[in-house]
Amino acid sequence: MKKMILTAVAMFVATATFAQPKVYFTKEITPQSLVKIYKVLGKEASGRVAVKISTGEGGNKHYLRPTFIRNLVEEVNGTVVECCTAYGGTRQDPKKHWETIHKHGFDSIFAVDLMDEFGQIRIPVKDQKHLKFNIVGEHVANYDFMINLAHFKGHAMGGFGGVLKNASIGVASTAGKAYIHSAGKTDDAQLAWTPEFLAAGPTQDAFLESMAAAAQSVHNYFSGNVIYINVMNNMSVDCDCDGTPAKPELQDMGIMASLDPVALDQACLDKVMNYKGKPGDDNKPLIQRINRQHGAYITDYAEKIGLGSKTYTLINID
């Protein structure tokens, strides 16, 4: 009887381990390794493929460069997609955003689609604790598959930015960004940033929960036809949306990819948190930024609503 119980436990553990989502990792950060890690995922990007990136705020030097992502975009015959921001700057309106896209060299290499240039649509949200719907660029309907290609780094409001932020804030229109940041209280971008509104606005956790719900809505909209990639380089405490970001104090780590966005962001968080820093290669500033904003909570909530798993199997492909 005891042997049967032990065997059953062993089988359960083996099954649970087998069921964990896989996160793939390479230390090499090159155009070739980006294609390699996409291919090991084993899920072909087919049909009309959107490659969601951040084109970077004017003045920022840390965004993923066109020459770096070129091989992957060409491999999948993809279109680089973006949406306008909600905080002013060089990307809030389509005219300025196109100027930034051109200055940063994206439209000279790729087909680029500013998805909310001509309008927006509402898509369903499964978790309606804060959001009743998600407001995204209308051109999202033109695609069958999305490659969520994110630059993993810090963020002033979210603590960090990875694939969950890229799927939520990144795919949302200007109004959608305001709606997520306000945890469903307003879609008015001008109102959302007034001192009075911010003072009476949502809690930080409500904002993070809204991002998780919005990320899930995009994943579900594509019926799971999404792959997720985080590039861990130029890891400033500030986002690519900042025109004057702080200098990165943590050295580049590599590229991670998964079919599970929660597992992927969690794996990147774990790598940063568990890293043994040294002079000239310090993870403390990024950890402090993440902790200050309770940033890691987004993976807790995303797992809770069923978007993915914080438990994963890490596979080094080097």
Side-chain angles (χ1 to χ4, degrees), residues 189-211:
Q190 291 185 328
L191 174 63
W193 304 115
T194 61
E196 296 79 12
F197 187 87
L198 290 171
T203 65
Q204 176 67 5
D205 282 0
F207 162 53
L208 296 171
E209 289 169 355
S210 298
M211 278 208 294

Side-chain angles (χ1 to χ4, degrees), residues 230-307:
N230 271 333
V231 181
M232 303 181 75
N233 70 340
N234 294 319
M235 287 182 284
S236 169
V237 298
D238 296 316
C239 181
D240 297 348
C241 59
D242 191 326
T244 56
K247 180 181 178 181
E249 298 184 55
L250 178 62
Q251 290 186 10
D252 297 350
M253 290 185 169
I255 305 174
M256 289 195 186
S258 183
L259 302 181
D260 184 319
V262 181
L264 178 55
D265 271 0
Q266 186 63 49
C268 292
L269 284 170
D270 290 344
K271 193 160 187 65
V272 170
M273 297 293 183
N274 297 325
Y275 187 70
K276 302 299 182 184
K278 54 185 180 292
D281 183 15
D282 190 2
N283 59 339
K284 291 186 183 65
L286 182 53
I287 291 174
Q288 290 168 357
R289 173 60 58 87
I290 294 168
N291 290 342
R292 188 191 77 182
Q293 300 304 113
H294 199 204
Y297 175 63
I298 192 172
T299 57
D300 294 337
Y301 193 76
E303 181 182 57
K304 180 180 178 180
I305 63 176
L307 178 53

Side-chain angles (χ1 to χ4, degrees), residues 170-185:
V171 178
S173 66
T174 296
K177 288 176 172 65
Y179 191 57
I180 294 168
H181 272 286
S182 69
K185 296 184 182 299

